[in-house]
Amino acid sequence: PTADSTCNAFVAAGVPFTVNVTPVAWESNSDADFCTGNGNTPNYSQNQLSLSAQLIAPSPGAAGTVTITPETFNVVSGGQVTLANAVTESEVGVMNLGVVAPANAYYGATVPSGTNFAVGRFIPHHFTVVGNTPELANAGACAFSYRGQTFGFKVNPQITITAFNAQGVTTQNYDRGNFWRLPNLPVFATPATPPPDTAYVDPIATQNDLLRVSRASAGVNVIDANNGNGERIYEFQGETFSYIKTLPLTASDSPFTSTLNMTFPAALLTDSDGVCYGSPCSAYQIVGISGIPAVNIRYGRLRLDSVSGPADTQLAIPVTAEYWDGTRFVTNTLDNCTSVNGSAAIPTGYQDNLAA
């Protein structure tokens, strides 16, 4: 098979595996495969042998380190040596393993190194996920938002996913081409669902019942990809929120501050090899998403005052912005941004028509 990212998963980087070492005889000058057809040399014995690793894929990439416990091994008369669960490779990728003999140590000669076919694919052991501190923004220029108004993010949510080996060292090669095996980016943009939403939750149940999420313009931007540092950053853009208006009004409809928790299910943080975040595989949350200043949600209305005057005179009708304080509607003194288009007001519900 091709020695690249299409290889089947072999073992997680940093997890011990078994290597069989067999000293073999020369076959021909054109022989590049020492594992097939070469006869064994059971009389060969030598101490202080070690292993080396050569990266095949990805290219470019980090070679990592192959480690034996203990650091060297001996071949005694009889042939094959089994290094049972004694070998680890620190990096993700596909490697050639080789046996290195000490120089000039076999009756004054150096035994040539032997290599096998490709070993791998080595995969990460686990992921870490770190979220940023997103910030919500009020719907307009005012220091609050009305129920029914759409608001969004001032600072978009981001998560940084990093791949590690079993020793907690970043596996840089995971961030190379198709060695990155987490779900395709659009999957991260959780599809709209009937309320309540599965990705965003207001932790206060009565408020969460009112929360609506729109992804009409949502997208995911990947940052820091394919540069071989073992991590990628996902930025979530364009998601907007609103709290619907309901009747009858109760005390629970008084002003409140919007605070959201964002959840990434374990399935989205598990790659096609089963490598995941957490043990066992777990979801990740960014909790307590709020605004600076806070996104204060108010149930509002516009009240028109009663006025009277001659039928042939234009009347100026005062308009007052109000909000529900939990008991009654009161003037919203913070509203200095709502504009009213008087020409769009259409009187309806006449009781009597005036005769010309």
Side-chain angles (χ1 to χ4, degrees), residues 206-231:
T206 55
Q207 296 170 193
N208 193 58
D209 291 341
L210 306 171
L211 179 66
R212 298 295 182 268
V213 182
S214 172
R215 296 184 175 87
S217 301
V220 182
N221 180 35
V222 61
I223 304 169
D224 202 24
N226 206 36
N227 63 3
N229 66 353
E231 69 177 33

Side-chain angles (χ1 to χ4, degrees), residues 168-339:
V169 178
T170 301
T171 50
Q172 300 175 56
N173 291 342
Y174 190 68
D175 182 32
R176 290 288 189 189
N178 291 329
F179 284 92
W180 187 276
R181 295 202 165 208
L182 277 166
N184 293 330
L185 299 185
V187 176
F188 277 83
T190 308
T193 57
D197 194 75
T198 56
Y200 292 95
V201 172
D202 189 315
I204 299 178
T206 55
Q207 296 170 193
N208 193 58
D209 291 341
L210 306 171
L211 179 66
R212 298 295 182 268
V213 182
S214 172
R215 296 184 175 87
S217 301
V220 182
N221 180 35
V222 61
I223 304 169
D224 202 24
N226 206 36
N227 63 3
N229 66 353
E231 69 177 33
R232 294 187 182 183
I233 300 171
Y234 295 93
E235 179 182 33
F236 301 86
Q237 303 170 332
E239 292 166 309
T240 58
F241 312 93
S242 63
Y243 290 88
I244 62 171
K245 301 177 79 170
T246 57
L247 290 173
L249 292 170
T250 66
S252 64
D253 292 299
S254 59
F256 60 87
T257 297
S258 177
T259 301
L260 304 178
N261 296 338
M262 185 179 185
T263 301
F264 299 88
L268 292 185
L269 304 175
T270 303
D271 76 2
S272 59
D273 294 315
V275 182
C276 64
Y277 164 72
S279 181
C281 299
S282 305
Y284 178 79
Q285 278 193 322
I286 301 178
V287 299
I289 301 173
S290 59
I292 303 174
V295 175
N296 182 264
I297 306 296
R298 297 184 170 193
Y299 194 116
R301 73 176 186 182
L302 293 177
R303 179 174 57 81
L304 303 181
D305 288 349
S306 296
V307 294
S308 61
D312 58 354
T313 303
Q314 289 187 341
L315 298 177
I317 303 176
V319 178
T320 303
E322 297 182 330
Y323 72 94
W324 179 258
D325 70 355
T327 304
R328 59 192 178 93
F329 279 102
V330 296
T331 300
N332 189 358
T333 57
L334 292 180
D335 191 343
N336 57 8
C337 57
T338 298
S339 59

